Amino acid sequence: MQFKMALTACTLAIASLAAPAQAQDVTLKVHFHLPQTSYASTLFIQPWCEKIAKESNNKMKCQIYPSMQLGGTPPQLFDQVRDGVADVVWTLPGYTAGRFPSLEAFELPFMMQKPEATSRALWEYAQIHSQKEFKDVHPLAFHVHGPGVFHMTGKPVKTMADLRGLKMRAPTRLTNKFIAMLGATPVSMPVPQVGDALSKGVIDGAVVPYEVVPSVKIQELVKYHSETDPAAAAFYTSTFLFAMNKAKYESLPPDLKKVIDANSGEALSGQIGKAFVQADAEGKKLTANNTTNVIAATELATWQKLGDKLSADWIKDMSGKGLDGKKMLDDAKSLIAKQAAKTTP
């Protein structure tokens, strides 16, 4: 009888020890700065969450917190995922100027033409040059958005002279520098602040891709949209990070880690870039009642010279930080070209 009771107790003890090792349902808190109705949410974040739920047999699900619902400001998203305030975030490293210098190679003027190919290249590049900067998180994807567009309240942009003296919103350190070189006064702010700044006349225009239009109702706040020549590289793009808390990832059982791994990396980065092309097309439809123009290639050639100077200055800046800026920029260009050659339009 005593032996039977001891055996039962032993069995219960083993069961209690084994219980935590069994796959438990996992809920990932996903935090980002745009509304849940934004294209970033509907074309990328929500589908990703649905996919990992399906492939994990619903053992792993997302709890989505759009519009900074977990608190803080957009520039704090990286720290939130690092510290475990959120399990997954989508953010722009460029919102914290100078903190992630390696990725700036992709934010220099006239680097990006195909978002899918450039996003794949960015993932590859980050594995070479950005490991140290992102060692405290588990990156899921790096990507870029589509071509930046000038959205103006008072007049279209046709030449550099049209920007002189205007206050222009720009997202990142290098884009702000380039806007200043073009003659405007740059005003740095995250996307959620753009609508209010336009409506109050704090800025005369903003550079964002068409994808952002519905998130801040830009089509209702401006009259003009000035694109750069679609046959040329974009005058700017921004880099993005989709990342998971490192401890959260490492705590996952092997089967769930496998699901995350299958939905991360170069392929996911390219898929997001492709989704942003679709988002741009949808966002542009909303501007149909406004006036749109394309800045001529001949005009952009002058801009390119300024872009080349900014690139040279950036290389010197990186050297001052102990980084090989020339190697970084050369690698970025070669990876973009390689990916563009094998990515369908």
Side-chain angles (χ1 to χ4, degrees):
M1 183 69 173
Q2 287 180 339
F3 173 77
K4 196 171 183 179
M5 289 175 65
L7 183 62
T8 301
C10 183
T11 302
L12 289 171
I14 292 171
S16 66
L17 287 171
Q22 294 174 353
Q24 302 292 312
D25 287 351
V26 172
T27 300
L28 301 176
K29 294 180 291 184
V30 180
H31 199 204
F32 53 97
H33 56 291
L34 292 182
Q36 190 156 355
T37 55
S38 66
Y39 290 130
S41 178
T42 60
L43 296 179
F44 145 51
I45 296 172
Q46 291 178 45
W48 183 84
C49 286
E50 290 164 6
K51 196 164 185 285
I52 65 165
K54 181 179 180 181
E55 293 180 9
S56 68
N57 295 316
N58 288 318
K59 293 178 184 176
M60 184 163 52
K61 299 179 182 179
C62 296
Q63 179 64 53
I64 295 178
Y65 295 91
S67 302
M68 301 304 300
Q69 288 179 358
L70 288 178
T73 63
Q76 294 173 324
L77 281 164
F78 180 85
D79 290 336
Q80 289 185 351
V81 75
R82 181 197 63 191
D83 298 339
V85 174
D87 298 314
V88 176
V89 301
W90 176 67
T91 186
L92 287 82
Y95 276 174
T96 49
R99 186 173 179 181
F100 306 100
S102 68
L103 295 189
E104 288 185 335
F106 280 71
E107 295 180 341
L108 286 162
F110 304 105
M111 288 290 288
M112 192 283 297
Q113 189 168 3
K114 298 178 180 178
E116 180 181 0
T118 305
S119 295
R120 285 180 173 272
L122 180 57
W123 175 268
E124 276 196 276
Y125 172 94
Q127 309 317 301
I128 303 167
H129 293 290
S130 309
Q131 294 275 8
K132 185 177 179 181
E133 291 174 10
F134 297 98
K135 63 181 175 58
D136 294 328
V137 300
H138 181 78
L140 302 171
F142 292 95
H143 73 94
V144 298
H145 61 53
V149 178
F150 290 91
H151 305 274
M152 311 298 296
T153 57
K155 62 179 180 179
V157 176
K158 296 181 179 179
T159 68
M160 199 186 306
D162 293 323
L163 288 166
R164 194 169 298 134
L166 298 183
K167 292 172 292 191
M168 293 293 305
R169 176 270 176 184
T172 64
R173 187 177 79 95
L174 290 180
T175 309
N176 273 281
K177 281 179 174 286
F178 192 48
I179 289 292
M181 293 172 81
L182 293 174
T185 300
V187 182
S188 184
M189 66 179 69
V191 163
Q193 297 175 17
V194 170
D196 192 50
L198 284 170
S199 67
K200 292 180 178 177
V202 174
I203 53 177
D204 301 297
V207 291
V208 295
Y210 279 120
E211 162 260 323
V212 169
V213 166
S215 297
V216 290
K217 293 183 169 57
I218 283 178
Q219 76 277 18
E220 299 174 10
L221 299 170
V222 306
K223 296 178 181 178
Y224 305 98
H225 310 275
S226 299
E227 306 170 4
T228 51
D229 185 343
F235 88 95
Y236 100 93
T237 191
S238 297
T239 60
F240 292 78
L241 169 69
F242 190 49
M244 190 172 185
N245 175 264
K246 197 167 189 177
K248 188 72 172 182
Y249 172 78
E250 291 172 351
S251 73
L252 295 175
D255 60 329
L256 298 188
K257 265 189 188 175
K258 188 175 179 180
V259 172
I260 293 294
D261 293 344
N263 291 280
S264 305
E266 182 185 323
L268 177 63
S269 299
Q271 288 165 14
I272 299 170
K274 191 172 184 178
F276 273 59
V277 175
Q278 180 185 348
D280 279 344
E282 294 299 317
K284 184 173 180 176
K285 290 177 184 176
L286 300 176
T287 67
N289 293 329
N290 295 342
T291 300
T292 300
N293 70 287
V294 176
I295 302 169
T298 51
E299 172 67 16
L300 293 176
T302 305
W303 297 23
Q304 178 72 66
K305 292 176 183 177
L306 293 176
D308 291 342
K309 183 182 184 307
L310 180 58
S311 295
D313 291 344
W314 180 80
I315 289 172
K316 291 177 184 176
D317 187 20
M318 292 302 102
S319 296
K321 298 178 187 294
L323 300 171
D324 190 344
K326 185 178 186 306
K327 169 71 170 158
M328 293 157 69
L329 184 54
D330 288 346
D331 282 354
K333 288 179 177 179
S334 64
L335 288 168
I336 290 170
K338 182 189 83 169
Q339 290 288 355
K342 67 179 187 179
T343 303
T344 55

